[in-house]
Amino acid sequence: MVDLKGQYEKIKQEVNAGIQEVIDSTTFIKGGKVTEFQRHLEEYLQVKHVIPVGNGTDALQIALMALGLQPGDEVIAPTFTFIATAEVIALLQLTPVLVDVDPHTFNITPEAIRRAITPNTKAIIPVHLFGQNAAMEELLQLAAEHKLYVIEDACQSIGARYTFSDGRVVQSGCMGHIGCTSFFPSKNLGCYGDGGALFTNDDVLAKRIRSIANHGMETRYYHDHIGVNSRLDSLQAAILDVKLNYLDSYIDARRRAADYYDRAFAGHPSLEIPVRQPGSEHVFHQYTLQLKHADRNQLIDYLKTKGIPAMVYYPVPVHQQKAYRSDRYRDGDFPVAEQLSASVLSLPMHTELRTEQLDYITQSVLHFF
Ligand SMILES: *Cc1c(COP(=O)(O)O)cnc(C)c1O
């Protein structure tokens, strides 16, 4: 699905030099490298504060902690997502209020959010799934009307720019109150271990987030909040600082691969290609097809015989997961998400896909039908 080795080979000298520099300095935690990467990412995103943390799940948890929500407060999130989005809500004893998604973009919709808002609603977590921003303009308006916080799960969408109707262009994760991302190796900006970050333009929230991520401490050994220990280490920061320079070219490579797939599959009676929303750049963390009247398992098995991996993201929506079943929801409540879980298929998507490989993959898929 990814080719991290091929990608590394092209930047090996720079990455190795960065790693060596950290080892020579022996500042493995909170070194200058972390601050340098933070500054460079702030510049890239045009956001006031980047707060690096241990991983994307921690980023989401810390974001919710920073808002000072109380047990029982409701947080709206899509049911078609990676589990971390809902997990952190439940973990903090807040109430996850799940909603259905759009059948073409796979993203949360303002209409579904509107129907789910109650007097207990405090926040919304839109997930920019597979690398495409949710309908943020309408969503932010709705959130403002109801005085709700917006935490963007931008773990799959770093670098995806969103154009508002007044012409403003804003980076994914920098539109709401707080944005969260992951630097897991296979993410669009991935390190060589775990990593994550929060983004915010709010000085007060930034200060609280920094403190919570560091044991709730502002002055050393004085703890103002109950916090956690979550940090990006200097080795990962050194790797990310190199890779950030290539992020735009990595996004271009993914978009070119997606264009190739689109051309091969457009109009096919059994395949729906991913929809690209005008005004929202798709950075293709995943290239995800919907199968129509086709046996997904047979296709996966067929591709396997050809040496082609294909994955289902995600086979079970959150409301149907064992740990998240509740009296609130029944099977059939979220028909779009349930239908997507049964019909989506993601093909190999990464920065190193060569034309021969794309040709082989598309020919194999078409040959199956
Ligand atoms: C990867 C991911 C996360 C979690 O990131 P980790 O760094 O693995 O903790 C959260 N939400 C979404 C949508 C993701 O894709």
Side-chain angles (χ1 to χ4, degrees):
M1 294 297 286
V2 295
D3 181 6
L4 297 175
K5 177 82 176 173
Q7 193 191 58
Y8 168 62
E9 289 298 338
K10 294 182 182 161
I11 53 172
K12 188 172 184 166
Q13 284 186 346
E14 278 179 277
V15 168
N16 288 8
I19 291 173
Q20 192 61 54
E21 203 184 308
V22 171
I23 297 173
D24 287 340
S25 77
T26 69
T27 30
F28 297 115
I29 301 290
K30 293 190 195 298
K33 271 288 169 203
V34 180
T35 317
E36 264 174 55
F37 168 63
Q38 175 203 315
R39 295 264 150 76
H40 292 149
L41 189 56
E42 283 166 355
E43 226 165 273
Y44 177 89
L45 296 173
Q46 294 287 296
V47 72
K48 253 176 119 176
H49 306 280
V50 165
I51 301 107
V53 292
N55 57 66
T57 309
D58 278 3
L60 288 163
Q61 181 184 331
I62 293 165
L64 284 171
M65 289 172 78
L67 300 180
L69 306 185
Q70 300 304 314
D73 284 350
E74 294 175 3
V75 179
I76 297 174
T79 188
F80 191 62
T81 181
F82 178 58
I83 200 66
T85 319
E87 184 177 52
V88 294
I89 304 172
L91 193 68
L92 294 171
Q93 298 188 7
L94 307 171
T95 304
V97 175
L98 301 169
V99 299
D100 213 350
V101 294
D102 180 89
H104 305 294
T105 64
F106 315 124
N107 277 327
I108 198 167
T109 65
E111 302 77 54
I113 294 170
R114 194 182 287 281
R115 285 195 297 273
I117 291 173
T118 76
N120 295 325
T121 309
K122 293 287 154 48
I124 308 167
I125 309 185
V127 180
H128 306 308
L129 204 69
F130 303 146
Q132 179 163 234
N133 290 304
M136 287 304 285
E137 180 145 10
E138 298 86 340
L139 191 153
L140 289 170
Q141 270 164 11
L142 187 60
E145 270 170 46
H146 294 267
K147 300 195 166 36
L148 305 175
Y149 287 111
V150 176
I151 299 175
E152 299 174 64
D153 182 340
C155 288
Q156 303 186 356
S157 61
I158 194 162
R161 286 175 296 187
Y162 184 91
T163 307
F164 287 85
S165 54
D166 63 2
R168 271 183 316 129
V169 179
V170 186
Q171 290 277 353
S172 190
C174 305
M175 297 176 266
H177 297 89
I178 306 175
C180 299
T181 205
S182 164
F183 304 125
F184 185 82
S186 64
K187 297 286 157 93
N188 286 23
L189 179 60
C191 59
Y192 296 169
D194 272 310
L198 297 95
F199 320 138
T200 186
N201 284 305
D202 183 317
D203 298 340
V204 176
L205 278 177
K207 192 158 178 251
R208 205 176 302 152
I209 289 166
R210 267 187 201 290
S211 166
I212 290 169
N214 186 26
H215 299 290
M217 181 157 88
E218 268 158 39
T219 309
R220 202 162 205 188
Y221 304 127
Y222 290 82
H223 303 273
D224 300 344
H225 318 276
I226 295 177
V228 296
N229 171 29
S230 186
R231 49 202 174 205
L232 183 73
D233 68 66
S234 309
L235 286 170
Q236 301 306 337
I239 294 158
L240 288 165
D241 205 32
V242 171
K243 290 186 72 177
L244 180 58
N245 295 321
Y246 296 92
L247 180 56
D248 284 339
S249 69
Y250 290 161
I251 290 171
D252 285 346
R254 287 173 178 276
R255 289 167 60 90
R256 278 199 304 275
D259 290 344
Y260 195 102
Y261 282 142
D262 276 1
R263 281 196 300 274
F265 302 139
H268 192 285
S270 298
L271 299 171
E272 183 178 327
I273 61 174
V275 168
R276 305 188 195 193
Q277 288 289 97
S280 180
E281 260 174 0
H282 198 323
V283 295
F284 288 99
H285 175 60
Q286 299 296 346
Y287 184 87
T288 304
L289 293 164
Q290 284 184 64
L291 306 187
K292 306 283 177 195
H293 334 287
D295 188 322
R296 183 169 65 182
N297 286 332
Q298 263 181 21
L299 174 56
I300 293 172
D301 288 344
Y302 175 77
L303 292 174
K304 203 180 283 168
T305 67
K306 297 274 170 184
I308 300 166
M311 295 287 290
V312 175
Y313 305 113
Y314 296 93
V316 182
V318 176
H319 70 282
Q320 292 182 317
Q321 295 284 357
K322 198 169 156 194
Y324 292 82
R325 289 220 175 244
S326 97
D327 296 340
R328 238 175 211 281
Y329 312 114
R330 266 182 268 170
D331 291 346
D333 277 357
F334 304 117
V336 176
E338 290 173 27
Q339 169 63 27
L340 289 174
S341 290
S343 64
V344 288
L345 189 67
S346 298
L347 295 177
M349 173 49 77
H350 55 83
T351 59
E352 310 305 309
L353 280 165
R354 283 175 281 114
T355 307
E356 312 90 81
Q357 292 174 313
L358 289 164
D359 189 51
Y360 179 69
I361 296 166
T362 51
Q363 289 307 319
S364 300
V365 172
L366 293 172
H367 188 257
F368 170 81
F369 291 104

